[in-house]
Amino acid sequence: MAFPHLQQPSFLLATLKADSVNKPFAQRCQDLVKVIEDFPAKELHAIFPWLVESIFGSLDGVLVGWNLRCLQGRVSPVEYSIAMEFLDPSGPMMKLVYKLQAEDYSFDFPVSCLPGPVKASIQENVLPDSPLYHNKIQCPPTGGLGLNLALNPFEYYMFFFALSLISQKPMPMSLHVRTSDCAYFILVDRYLSWFLPTEGSVPPPLASSPGGSSPSPAPRTPAMPFASYGLHTSLLKRHISHQTSVNADPASHEIWRSETLLQVFVEMWLHHYSLEMYQKMQSPHAKESFTPTEEHVLVVRLLLKHLHAFANSLKPDQASPSTHSHATSPLEEFKRAAVPRFVQQKLYVFLQHCFGHWPLDASFRAVLEMWLSYLQPWRYAPEKQVQSSDSQPRCVSEKWAPFIQENLLMYTRLFVSFLNRALRTDLVSPKNALMVFRVAKVFAQPNLTEMIQKGEQLFLEPELIIPHRHHRLFTVTSSFLSPWPPVVTDASFKVKSHVYSLEGQDCKYTPMFGPEVRTLVLRLAQLITQAKQTAKSISDQCAESPASRSFLSWLGFGATDPNCCYPGNDLDEMGQDSVRKTDEYLEKALEYLRQIFRLSEAQLAQLTLALGNTRDENGKQQLPDCIVGEEGLILTPLGRYQIINGLRRFEIEYQGDLELQPIRSYEITSLVRALFRLSSAINRRFAGQMAALCSRNDFLGSFCRYHLTEPALSNRHLLSPVGRRQATSPARGPRLSLRFLGSYRTLLLLLMAFFVASLFCIGPLPCSLLLVLGYLLYAVAMTLLTERGKLHQL
């Protein structure tokens, strides 16, 4: 594809748009590489917004672009390799970004596409806390619609890249795509490794011309200042006044891309719930309707893991704040500030929302692992502790005490939130049992519990010992690029500052090792014990072959109780191996909880004894846990849990008119309805005669009552044991019922009887007479037995 160098930008854009429809993907990318190499920035400026949208899709989700979230190497290897090479941090697309960056171009980005809290803040004329938005707001032109951000090329590219994760429609359930194999996930990992390196420094921008390297400058202040729009800039005046001197410092060029990348990822992926609304309502869902997906959470977990590795890559002599000096490089300063200044607050509110609103199913595992990854920065430290020879968990070093104390709520408050979720889930399911096991195992690491307790003790210390109260706002008001505030050495103040900044000054803190949480833990231990017993019971009940059981039920001989195999869990899908896994997970989780909260063996034994077996001495299943009220039995929370998870149930029987009960699976629908119409006609025609026969006191009356009346309702089981004394049998006269002839079992038995009779040369008519005679003898015997039983009752 040859382009004259004097083509107009509009013509170049039109040509590329036409090629995007007519040419294959590989050829289009080759043409784009040539265009980026040959054309100057002035002409590339016109195609850049279109190219970014054609790759990442539109912000409203209508255009999917290259669909990087579904592009996999094993499915489409050619397209995958071409896309990854083109979008690589050292690839042609990033070269285009740096080429435009060198010329100080800016691009409009609509404020309406930003996360909810940021958009609301800007629309209310309040400057967002993040420096990412400072001096970028542009007033709409006369007659224009909406506010825009004036972004430099690197920011514009990263905004689209980050938002494509959440702006595009979720992948259909029928499309089984492993997130970690997709092009988007791998690109995130590459960008993080490139711009947030754990070794060395950030690579310089690519050469913009064959003649040599032309580094991309740090972004300059837009022509229209933020204050001209009438927004409140008091929170970050210090940052804005300091910006000129920072840009004049050549060392700041080393990290401005790194800082921008991190802020964009955090803002677009985590800042969907406002801290102010969370503090007021204790539920971020009060206003914001954003719902993260499992794919979204997995990408955020990748970000957190890399940030831990990035922050922990500081050399030992640089990691301590006490060694801070003016000779420290900006990258080292950024490593120390990345997690506490940019991530902690937004991640905490994001996790609180997920813990409170995520469905109670196995997909919560993604949120759980993201949380546990953040809680264990030592897993991503360069120095790996040697595993002990006896396979015991590694001891958490005291060097992580400051991190634990400054993230206390991440450990304690979210642990309580997880307990409340676990108490409402089906622990018989191996997937849910695994989640309880994972959390218990992490918190049971040696020395971690002691450091969490130490953090709670520091927070609960009297307020009088905290000095320099006026420094509390420095974590919000200062920018990364501004001079560092004085080091606060008081550990108690750091913990209190962390808690108050997230929960508010008047928050009510529930200690993780206090009596309230201990009660929740004991309830969980009781449910774990009960779930272990239930898993074994389910395994025993479902040991019978499903094929034979369904065949017997079809014939009417087997059990027709739909609750016999507890369809509420997935044990029947995995068999005995699933039961073994569930028992193993729950057993280890119980042991870890005992270690964390120092539960004695006597306490656990008492729980098991109080729980007892799920069946009574007669072999019948016990009723769900309930209390007796004025209207009958009232389920307790434990009783509701037992019913939801199939642990116990009421023995429910059909209590209405037996003729009108739903047609069963072992009955012929059309035949049952025809027999009902026939018997109804007979009952209407001979109602008087049947009533007269049944009222007689001789043997004929007893014989008719046996066939024409159904058992009284008072002699059958009722829904509630408490309400039996209130039940009254409805007045139903004698009637004939032919419904038994509509059963597959009855018809099969008749067919077998005729077949056996034919073997002895007995025709259909004599066989029918023999059957009627045999039934009459059976009916006479049953009538005599029934009457004798009534006499004994009197």
Side-chain angles (χ1 to χ4, degrees):
M1 177 180 179
F3 291 101
H5 285 284
L6 298 179
Q7 289 178 0
Q8 295 297 322
S10 58
F11 181 75
L12 174 62
L13 179 59
T15 304
L16 291 176
K17 286 184 178 180
D19 291 345
S20 66
V21 177
N22 302 322
K23 290 187 176 182
F25 181 74
Q27 183 62 43
R28 281 185 280 145
C29 289
Q30 292 178 5
D31 294 341
L32 286 172
V33 172
K34 187 171 180 58
V35 169
I36 294 171
E37 288 285 346
D38 295 345
F39 281 77
K42 182 177 180 181
E43 299 183 23
L44 296 175
H45 167 260
I47 70 168
F48 184 68
W50 167 82
L51 180 58
V52 171
E53 185 177 68
S54 66
I55 294 174
F56 301 123
S58 58
L59 296 173
D60 56 8
V62 175
L63 302 177
V64 297
W66 290 5
N67 202 12
L68 298 174
R69 294 164 54 235
C70 298
L71 184 61
Q72 300 182 80
R74 60 182 178 84
V75 178
S76 307
V78 177
E79 291 82 358
Y80 174 84
S81 60
I82 293 174
M84 296 300 293
E85 182 179 354
F86 187 82
L87 299 175
D88 190 81
S90 60
M93 189 65 190
M94 198 57 68
K95 185 175 182 179
L96 170 61
V97 171
Y98 296 142
K99 203 171 185 178
L100 296 174
Q101 188 79 30
E103 299 297 330
D104 198 25
Y105 284 112
S106 65
F107 301 89
D108 290 341
F109 187 91
V111 170
S112 59
C113 296
L114 295 175
V118 178
K119 176 174 62 177
S121 178
I122 294 177
Q123 291 174 347
E124 293 173 3
N125 297 345
V126 178
L127 178 65
D129 291 338
S130 174
L132 186 65
Y133 306 106
H134 298 163
N135 299 331
K136 292 184 174 67
I137 302 296
Q138 287 192 331
C139 295
T142 305
L145 298 176
L147 296 169
N148 292 317
L149 297 179
L151 304 178
N152 63 55
F154 185 81
E155 293 169 336
Y156 188 83
Y157 177 84
M158 286 302 169
F159 265 64
F160 263 85
F161 175 74
L163 279 174
S164 64
L165 175 65
I166 57 179
S167 61
Q168 301 297 317
K169 296 179 180 179
M171 291 179 290
M173 298 297 294
S174 58
L175 185 62
H176 300 286
V177 177
R178 186 177 179 181
T179 302
S180 58
D181 294 337
C182 296
Y184 186 88
F185 188 90
I186 298 175
L187 274 176
V188 171
D189 186 53
R190 290 189 183 182
Y191 287 158
L192 290 173
S193 300
W194 184 275
F195 295 106
L196 303 177
T198 56
E199 296 181 1
S201 59
V202 182
L206 305 175
S208 60
S209 64
S213 176
S214 176
S216 173
R220 303 173 188 173
T221 305
M224 181 174 292
F226 201 95
S228 63
Y229 186 58
L231 301 179
H232 306 297
T233 59
S234 57
L235 283 178
L236 285 153
K237 287 181 179 178
R238 182 178 182 182
H239 166 76
I240 297 174
S241 63
H242 185 65
Q243 185 175 356
T244 304
S245 62
V246 169
N247 288 342
D249 181 10
S252 65
H253 293 179
E254 179 185 357
I255 65 158
W256 74 265
R257 291 172 297 149
S258 303
E259 184 184 2
T260 299
L261 176 96
L262 177 58
Q263 290 187 75
V264 170
F265 284 0
V266 170
E267 287 293 312
M268 301 304 126
W269 295 343
L270 294 178
H271 196 187
H272 292 275
Y273 314 105
S274 64
L275 178 64
E276 294 76 13
M277 183 57 62
Y278 167 73
Q279 291 177 348
K280 292 178 181 178
M281 308 295 296
Q282 288 297 302
S283 173
H285 193 63
K287 271 193 174 182
E288 297 87 351
S289 59
F290 176 80
T291 303
T293 62
E294 189 173 351
E295 177 192 17
H296 179 183
V297 171
L298 291 174
V299 174
V300 173
R301 186 193 179 205
L302 175 64
L303 170 65
L304 297 179
K305 291 166 65 176
H306 189 89
L307 279 177
H308 277 322
F310 176 68
N312 294 329
S313 63
L314 282 170
K315 298 178 181 179
D317 58 339
Q318 300 168 343
S320 176
S322 60
T323 62
H324 172 72
S325 66
H326 295 288
T328 305
S329 70
L331 181 61
E332 293 166 355
E333 297 277 13
F334 183 50
K335 288 182 178 182
R336 190 178 293 113
V339 173
R341 299 224 169 174
F342 295 113
V343 179
Q344 185 195 73
Q345 181 187 94
K346 295 179 177 63
L347 176 64
Y348 175 73
V349 180
F350 182 84
L351 283 171
Q352 279 283 24
H353 182 274
C354 290
F355 273 64
H357 299 84
W358 200 277
L360 292 172
D361 56 23
S363 65
F364 185 72
R365 175 77 184 278
V367 178
L368 187 80
E369 294 298 338
M370 174 180 67
W371 172 50
L372 297 180
S373 294
Y374 183 80
L375 297 187
Q376 302 177 86
W378 46 88
R379 291 184 56 192
Y380 313 101
E383 67 279 1
K384 297 294 183 182
Q385 295 177 327
V386 180
Q387 186 84 9
S388 57
S389 58
D390 56 355
S391 300
Q392 292 297 322
R394 296 180 304 185
C395 180
V396 181
S397 173
E398 285 291 335
K399 64 173 287 190
W400 300 107
F403 177 87
I404 295 172
Q405 294 168 7
E406 294 169 15
N407 290 271
L408 184 63
L409 292 177
M410 293 285 191
Y411 292 88
T412 60
R413 180 62 67 88
L414 291 179
F415 180 83
V416 176
S417 299
F418 174 77
L419 282 180
N420 290 322
R421 283 187 62 93
L423 292 172
R424 293 180 290 146
T425 54
D426 178 13
L427 299 183
V428 180
S429 167
K431 296 177 181 178
N432 292 334
L434 175 60
M435 287 191 281
V436 175
F437 162 73
R438 288 282 297 122
V439 173
K441 182 180 179 181
V442 168
F443 278 84
Q445 295 177 84
N447 200 37
L448 177 58
T449 300
E450 289 75 10
M451 287 191 285
I452 295 176
Q453 285 182 301
K454 176 62 175 176
E456 290 195 322
Q457 291 172 2
L458 291 173
F459 174 73
L460 298 175
E461 284 183 0
E463 292 279 344
L464 296 177
I465 69 170
I466 301 180
H468 311 298
R469 176 72 59 177
H470 62 278
H471 286 301
R472 171 162 294 173
L473 293 179
F474 82 87
T475 58
V476 178
T477 60
S478 61
S479 162
F480 162 70
L481 294 176
S482 61
W484 293 90
V487 176
V488 181
T489 58
D490 187 79
S492 177
F493 168 71
K494 288 184 178 181
V495 177
K496 291 177 183 289
S497 177
H498 156 71
V499 174
Y500 291 146
S501 64
L502 294 180
E503 294 287 342
Q505 291 283 348
D506 54 349
C507 70
K508 180 183 179 182
Y509 182 78
T510 303
M512 177 176 168
F513 298 95
E516 296 180 22
V517 178
R518 191 178 184 86
T519 301
L520 294 177
V521 173
L522 290 175
R523 283 183 56 195
L524 179 61
Q526 185 180 28
L527 293 180
I528 288 175
T529 305
Q530 189 169 16
K532 290 176 59 181
Q533 295 179 354
T534 303
K536 185 178 183 305
S537 174
I538 293 174
S539 176
D540 295 340
Q541 292 186 27
C542 295
E544 182 184 358
S545 171
S548 62
R549 181 170 62 246
S550 60
F551 179 73
L552 291 175
S553 299
W554 181 78
L555 293 178
F557 294 106
T560 58
D561 189 354
N563 297 321
C564 64
C565 275
Y566 301 94
N569 55 67
D570 56 355
L571 279 178
D572 52 342
E573 299 176 4
M574 303 180 64
Q576 295 297 324
D577 184 59
S578 177
V579 176
R580 181 187 59 79
K581 287 183 178 179
T582 299
D583 187 72
E584 180 181 348
Y585 291 147
L586 295 178
E587 182 67 31
K588 291 183 178 179
L590 198 59
E591 174 61 23
Y592 287 138
L593 289 175
R594 186 188 67 80
Q595 296 175 13
I596 296 169
F597 293 93
R598 298 177 177 86
L599 303 177
S600 63
E601 294 289 350
Q603 287 178 302
L604 296 180
Q606 185 178 6
L607 285 176
T608 306
L609 184 62
L611 183 64
N613 294 325
T614 58
R615 297 180 179 274
D616 59 19
E617 59 277 4
N618 296 324
K620 294 184 178 180
Q621 193 174 28
Q622 290 182 344
L623 294 176
D625 190 69
C626 50
I627 59 176
V628 179
E630 295 180 358
E631 302 296 330
L633 297 181
I634 301 175
L635 283 173
T636 64
L638 176 60
R640 286 193 292 270
Y641 173 87
Q642 292 168 338
I643 290 180
I644 291 173
N645 296 299
L647 305 179
R648 296 183 183 181
R649 64 181 186 274
F650 290 102
E651 295 182 6
I652 300 177
E653 295 180 0
Y654 184 78
Q655 301 293 322
D657 188 348
L658 296 180
E659 285 292 292
L660 301 178
Q661 64 180 315
I663 297 176
R664 309 299 184 181
S665 59
Y666 53 83
E667 294 178 322
I668 303 174
T669 303
S670 58
L671 185 57
V672 168
R673 291 171 178 167
L675 291 171
F676 175 74
R677 288 193 291 268
L678 176 61
S679 59
S680 298
I682 295 175
N683 292 331
R684 287 193 298 269
R685 176 68 179 81
F686 300 102
Q689 291 87 331
M690 288 189 292
L693 287 173
C694 291
S695 61
R696 297 176 56 159
N697 296 324
D698 54 7
F699 176 79
L700 181 60
S702 301
F703 187 84
C704 292
R705 285 193 295 273
Y706 176 77
H707 288 90
L708 300 179
T709 60
E710 61 182 273
L713 186 62
S714 58
N715 296 329
R716 290 154 53 190
H717 294 291
L718 297 180
L719 294 177
S720 172
V722 179
R724 288 179 180 172
R725 62 181 182 273
Q726 302 174 356
T728 57
S729 179
R732 296 195 186 109
R735 57 181 179 174
L736 176 68
S737 176
L738 301 176
R739 181 163 178 165
F740 71 97
L741 294 175
S743 170
Y744 287 108
R745 178 179 61 177
T746 302
L747 297 178
L748 181 60
L749 291 175
L750 290 175
L751 182 62
M752 292 176 59
F754 283 113
F755 176 75
V756 172
S758 65
L759 297 179
F760 294 94
C761 300
I762 301 176
L765 183 58
C767 180
S768 300
L769 293 175
L770 289 175
L771 290 175
V772 171
L773 179 61
Y775 177 77
L776 287 175
L777 294 175
Y778 168 79
V780 169
M782 292 301 298
T783 300
L784 293 175
L785 291 175
T786 303
E787 289 298 320
R788 180 176 297 179
K790 291 182 179 178
L791 291 175
H792 283 296
Q793 291 178 1
L794 295 175

